[in-house]
Amino acid sequence: MNRRGNGDASAPAGASPLIELDRIGVAFNAQLRVGSPRFWALEDVSLTLAPGDRLGVVGRNGSGKSTLLRTLAGIITPDRGRIRRAPVSCQLLSLALGFVPHLSGRDNAILSGLMLGLRRREIVARLPAILDFSELGDFFGQPISSYSTGMLMRLGFSVAIQVDPDVLLIDEVLAVGDTDFQQKSGDALRARIHGGKTIVFVSHGDAQIRQVCNRALWIEHGRSMLDGPVDDVLAAYHAAQAPAAAAASG
Amino acid sequence: MRLHLFELTLFSTYAELRAERARSYLGLLWWIIEPAMNMATYYLVFAVILKSGGPDYIAFLLIGLTLWQWFKSCVSHGGYSIWQQLPLIRQVKLPLQVFPTVQILADTVKFLCILALLLVVLWCSGYPPNIAYVGLLPVLLVEMVFVAAATYVVAAVVPLVPDLRFVIEQVLQVVMFLSGIVFSLDGVPENLRRWFVLNPIVELVDAGRGILMHGQWPNWFALGRVALISLALYAFGAFLIERLTPRYVKLPT
């Protein structure tokens, strides 16, 4: 299991990397049948994550971005290649993890917090902050089966933002909920990101990547194509899409 | 780290019991009503209709069903626990033993409530407590290990072969009939008897009935044998879950 390390706000030059992926491959079974063919969600991906990096991951749907995030989190073990990790905690930003419908918002917050790795006294101490951030008021003690979708998202995000792993992995979600909460959740997450946290951020939104990240990685068919400054990678990614787009419309 | 898992397991058990109470109108009453209905059915068939119960049949049946139901509910609920939580384990890294353990703990809480009721019923119907009750603790502990062992093995295999869901209920039903729960195994021919004795449930239920109905101490040798089998099976189940964990997250959704 990952132990908590101490992240640096500014990574000194030559700081040892937090995670190194060396030509990793991840294979899935296509079907639940004996001897069914495997397909390789990741074929050959290499990357190095240094402390304080804010890495954006771009690629088409099905290129392996989510699988990459889960591999970084330690949820998926690669079938090929090597991973080297420093003793740091890596978590996916997971909303509404493990929520049980018939329990109150309060109990679900504790349950979710425990699943995300917090100790009980830690999550209980943060309950007022969660209640406050989610603006649920009296609903906090009601079963979440009575919540609207927006309320569920608010509770889910308020809990998730309490977890502070050394490496935060974000799968496209930068903000949730209705207009007001979008602003609030987006601000909270951006504060976390720009506070020196190491993050890996998968997104289809160029503007968001440029805003958030200092590096980018382009994944295509499970292979790392280009790893470098955000503008270069985005340019190369879009250049590769252009002929396909032209062919589709032509 | 270990303490964190302990806290997660305990709170999840509380959550499971709480949710169960909220899911039905009568809530916790079903913990009593359902086994009572079950017992009434078997009593009707075996004692009233078939008249094959024998003396002390009610006590015989109640003890057998109580001890059996604990095993059956844990294997049924815990056996599916990992498979049902596959979406969750794709989001966060957790030791998967937590899931069957939570189900086992929740079902054990229910069992203890029913056991308390059983003891009261027995005391009121001519089977007073006796010194052999001390032997009840080792019997229950051994059954707990056996229950956990069977549950872990089933929980480990079901995600990879979900078809087993259809088979498990049938297999459990057959095992129940072969374990002397609802009718005595005294009528089994001698040459088959030794196969039946291999079933750990037979020994556990025998020991329970001996203590509660006749004030007899358990057969320590047989109980010890069951304990060893259970421990080995438990280790195997835990090992299976750990080894198969990387495969579960890669299963097709």
Side-chain angles (χ1 to χ4, degrees):
Chain A
M1 286 295 285
N2 298 314
R3 302 196 309 275
R4 297 194 78 77
N6 51 335
D8 280 333
S10 56
S16 55
L18 296 183
I19 306 179
E20 270 182 85
L21 300 184
D22 187 12
R23 312 207 59 180
I24 57 150
V26 172
F28 286 74
N29 286 311
Q31 289 178 308
L32 205 63
R33 297 273 177 280
V34 178
S36 78
R38 308 216 290 176
F39 79 93
W40 290 85
L42 293 179
E43 297 247 18
D44 183 349
V45 173
S46 302
L47 74 86
T48 304
L49 198 64
D53 266 351
R54 300 184 305 279
L55 176 71
V57 178
V58 295
R60 292 186 298 164
N61 287 329
S63 53
K65 306 189 294 295
S66 291
T67 308
L68 177 62
L69 276 190
R70 282 168 174 69
T71 310
L72 287 170
I75 294 167
I76 293 182
T77 43
D79 299 280
R80 274 206 295 249
R82 284 170 42 197
I83 300 188
R84 278 179 288 269
R85 292 175 187 278
V88 292
S89 53
C90 305
Q91 288 270 12
L92 276 173
L93 183 70
S94 294
L95 303 185
L97 188 74
F99 271 16
V100 174
H102 297 276
L103 285 189
S104 66
R106 186 179 185 279
D107 279 346
N108 270 299
I110 299 178
L111 186 62
S112 211
L114 284 168
M115 289 204 182
L116 288 167
L118 295 177
R119 292 291 305 276
R120 178 157 180 169
R121 60 167 182 266
E122 289 174 330
I123 186 69
V124 169
R126 291 166 206 229
L127 282 177
I130 292 173
L131 171 60
D132 187 58
F133 193 90
S134 65
E135 298 168 16
L136 285 171
D138 288 334
F139 277 97
F140 200 50
Q142 302 295 320
I144 65 170
S145 42
S146 63
Y147 286 10
S148 65
T149 320
M151 291 162 75
L152 278 176
M153 289 288 102
R154 278 192 268 151
L155 180 63
F157 186 90
S158 308
V159 176
I161 199 74
Q162 295 297 331
V163 182
D164 196 15
D166 299 312
V167 180
L168 184 61
L169 307 165
I170 305 174
D171 203 343
E172 306 212 32
V173 175
L174 265 198
V176 296
D178 58 20
T179 329
D180 287 342
F181 201 73
Q182 285 259 349
Q183 184 66 40
K184 193 170 171 181
S185 54
D187 288 344
L189 201 48
R190 270 184 286 276
R192 174 70 58 79
I193 291 169
H194 291 287
K197 182 76 34 196
T198 309
I199 70 154
V200 179
F201 175 45
V202 165
S203 178
H204 286 290
D206 280 17
Q208 291 179 327
I209 300 250
R210 280 183 224 275
Q211 203 183 60
V212 166
C213 307
N214 66 339
R215 268 175 65 205
L217 171 69
W218 168 28
I219 302 256
E220 178 85 9
H221 294 310
R223 291 173 196 279
S224 36
M225 306 295 284
L226 184 60
D227 180 352
V230 173
D231 290 328
D232 295 351
V233 173
L234 284 176
Y237 170 52
H238 289 301
Q241 310 311 310
S249 59
Chain B
M1 224 293 284
R2 291 253 154 259
L3 279 180
H4 164 250
L5 277 183
F6 187 66
E7 287 172 350
L8 173 62
T9 306
L10 279 190
F11 194 81
S12 298
T13 305
Y14 156 77
E16 175 66 30
L17 291 170
R18 191 84 195 254
E20 191 171 318
R21 191 182 83 171
R23 272 197 283 260
S24 60
Y25 185 67
L26 289 176
L28 298 188
L29 275 183
W30 282 110
W31 292 9
I32 308 292
I33 298 177
E34 203 181 333
M37 283 167 60
N38 205 21
M39 187 230 67
T41 310
Y42 286 113
Y43 181 76
L44 181 67
V45 171
F46 285 92
V48 175
I49 296 177
L50 295 179
K51 294 194 175 47
S52 64
D56 306 318
Y57 185 66
I58 292 186
F60 175 90
L61 183 65
L62 278 176
I63 297 170
L65 279 179
T66 304
L67 291 174
W68 167 256
Q69 187 58 31
W70 183 25
F71 171 77
K72 182 197 172 203
S73 57
C74 288
V75 171
S76 299
H77 301 149
Y80 301 146
S81 57
I82 294 180
W83 180 70
Q84 282 172 335
Q85 299 281 29
L86 283 179
L88 191 143
I89 72 176
R90 287 192 189 99
Q91 294 274 79
V92 68
K93 189 171 174 172
L94 283 174
L96 299 188
Q97 280 95 322
V98 168
F99 300 116
T101 304
V102 165
Q103 294 296 325
I104 293 169
L105 286 178
D107 281 317
T108 300
V109 167
K110 288 199 256 182
F111 163 72
L112 291 174
C113 295
I114 295 170
L115 181 68
L117 191 62
L118 171 72
L119 291 179
V120 169
V121 168
L122 287 176
W123 297 345
C124 295
S125 27
Y127 301 97
N130 53 69
I131 190 71
Y133 267 44
V134 173
L136 203 54
L137 189 58
V139 170
L140 291 180
L141 281 175
V142 173
E143 175 157 359
M144 180 140 204
V145 178
F146 179 64
V147 161
T151 305
Y152 276 25
V153 171
V154 173
V157 176
V158 162
L160 300 176
V161 192
D163 309 47
L164 278 181
R165 277 147 47 228
F166 308 124
V167 170
I168 283 175
E169 296 295 321
Q170 311 307 321
V171 170
L172 283 172
Q173 188 78 336
V174 169
V175 173
M176 187 192 82
F177 280 112
L178 296 178
S179 303
I181 306 292
V182 292
F183 54 81
S184 169
L185 292 179
D186 289 342
V188 171
E190 198 56 50
N191 54 335
L192 291 179
R193 182 78 63 94
R194 57 199 178 92
W195 293 110
F196 279 79
V197 171
L198 286 178
N199 179 352
I201 309 265
V202 171
E203 172 52 41
L204 291 164
V205 171
D206 262 352
R209 285 179 180 139
I211 292 172
L212 295 173
M213 288 168 68
H214 309 296
Q216 288 167 349
W217 293 99
N219 177 341
W220 298 112
F221 175 72
L223 192 64
R225 199 171 54 196
V226 170
L228 281 178
I229 295 173
S230 303
L231 282 169
L233 193 63
Y234 178 87
F236 176 63
F239 166 76
L240 259 191
I241 291 179
E242 185 143 346
R243 275 303 301 280
L244 292 176
T245 295
R247 290 181 58 176
Y248 298 143
V249 293
K250 294 180 187 167
L251 290 171
T253 34

